[in-house]
Amino acid sequence: KWKGEGTTQNLESIVIGRCYDYIRIVNPAVGEKNCSAIWEAFKNAFINKDPCSILPKDYELFINLSLHTIPPNKSLFWENNHLLVNSFADRGRRYMSLADTLFGFLGDFLNWCGQADTTGLDYESCPTVEECENNAVESFWRMASVTYAQHSSGVIHVLLNGSAVGGAYPDPGFFADYEIPNLQKDKISQIVIWVVDDIEGPDIDSCGAHTVKVLENRLKNLGYDVTCTNNYKSVMFLLCLD
């Protein structure tokens, strides 16, 4: 038995349903997608395999079937503020974060894993990252993050949590390890960093200091035009509202 929670109940219905929801209602602009083929490609990435030997490349077919254009200037990267980013992006109406792409939308907040030598899903437990890095969910988000970064263009936005313990820019982290290295420099005009503290939360990190300075220096050394704003008003209004 693993330490992580098991596969989300009704996973197949949720994934296929989300797929139709996305192409019909959330973002019909992506055009027709074969939702049952997308589910099969998703499932085949991890079923019938040791749940600790799933690699990002196992999701290649899934990504290819669900891929679509990410509009320029709409990409929103983040660390340590999942729910805030979801509400701020507003399902692609304001920004298109990873969870607002079709491939990210399908996996958002779900959990899953298979078992060696059986086509069934494991609803009892799934491995955590501490137990093994190459688990089904971790490898999925690595592949999704790489793909998202590769297809982002124009002005890139990054929303960081200035109240996060350990700093706003975690390194190692998804943004540090999978997204920054896969940005396509020739397609990017500017990187805009927003560091937003929790309401009444501690002000641990801010522009030009601590881990944010590390991030700014890294991006500038890579040749990007970088700006940074503390407690960006639009996001603060949303936090106050909540």
Side-chain angles (χ1 to χ4, degrees):
K1 193 166 162 60
W2 302 104
K3 293 194 175 75
E5 60 179 279
T7 299
T8 307
Q9 297 285 341
N10 309 107
L11 183 72
E12 179 176 357
S13 301
I14 294 171
V15 171
I16 293 175
R18 281 183 177 186
C19 179
Y20 284 116
D21 185 28
Y22 192 90
I23 66 172
R24 298 286 176 254
I25 296 158
V26 177
N27 189 7
V30 301
E32 273 305 306
K33 298 288 181 188
N34 186 332
C35 291
S36 51
I38 287 173
W39 160 255
E40 288 298 322
F42 173 75
K43 180 182 70 174
N44 288 333
F46 63 88
I47 63 159
N48 230 337
K49 297 179 189 174
D50 171 356
C52 278
S53 61
I54 314 298
L55 300 173
K57 66 177 175 56
D58 294 334
Y59 288 99
E60 254 168 25
L61 178 59
F62 164 80
I63 291 287
N64 291 340
L65 292 173
S66 57
L67 193 59
H68 57 83
T69 306
I70 297 170
N73 312 318
K74 289 279 193 177
S75 290
L76 177 60
F77 294 84
W78 57 274
E79 287 282 8
N80 297 315
N81 44 29
H82 192 163
L83 290 169
L84 174 61
V85 165
N86 280 16
S87 54
F88 184 50
D90 195 23
R91 283 191 155 191
R93 276 190 281 269
R94 290 194 199 101
Y95 294 94
M96 186 178 280
S97 72
L98 175 52
D100 306 303
T101 64
L102 174 56
F103 50 96
F105 189 76
L106 294 175
D108 205 24
F109 291 111
L110 300 179
N111 208 45
W112 63 87
C113 65
Q115 308 169 62
D117 311 319
T118 165
T119 55
L121 301 172
D122 190 341
Y123 294 100
E124 296 300 308
S125 65
C126 291
T128 60
V129 181
E130 291 70 38
E131 289 176 292
C132 59
E133 284 197 2
N134 293 332
N135 68 57
V137 174
E138 183 75 3
S139 289
F140 173 90
W141 287 114
R142 286 180 184 178
M143 186 70 183
S145 293
V146 166
T147 305
Y148 178 68
Q150 288 170 339
H151 289 84
S152 292
S153 64
V155 179
I156 303 291
H157 309 84
V158 187
L159 181 56
L160 301 175
N161 185 339
S163 299
V165 177
Y169 167 62
D171 185 10
F174 271 82
F175 186 53
D177 298 341
Y178 301 102
E179 292 169 340
I180 293 175
N182 285 289
L183 292 172
Q184 307 295 298
K185 189 169 181 305
D186 54 334
K187 296 198 301 190
I188 291 166
S189 55
Q190 189 182 33
I191 298 183
V192 175
I193 302 168
W194 295 314
V195 184
V196 176
D197 297 333
D198 295 336
I199 300 291
E200 296 177 354
D203 176 10
I204 292 174
D205 220 339
S206 46
C207 296
H210 308 304
T211 70
V212 182
K213 186 171 189 174
V214 172
L215 172 60
E216 290 175 88
N217 289 341
R218 178 178 178 184
L219 294 172
K220 283 173 184 167
N221 289 338
L222 289 169
Y224 291 106
D225 173 15
V226 181
T227 65
C228 186
T229 305
N230 288 317
N231 292 322
Y232 178 56
K233 273 265 177 29
S234 301
V235 181
M236 294 305 288
F237 287 144
L238 198 54
L239 280 172
C240 290
L241 186 65
D242 289 342

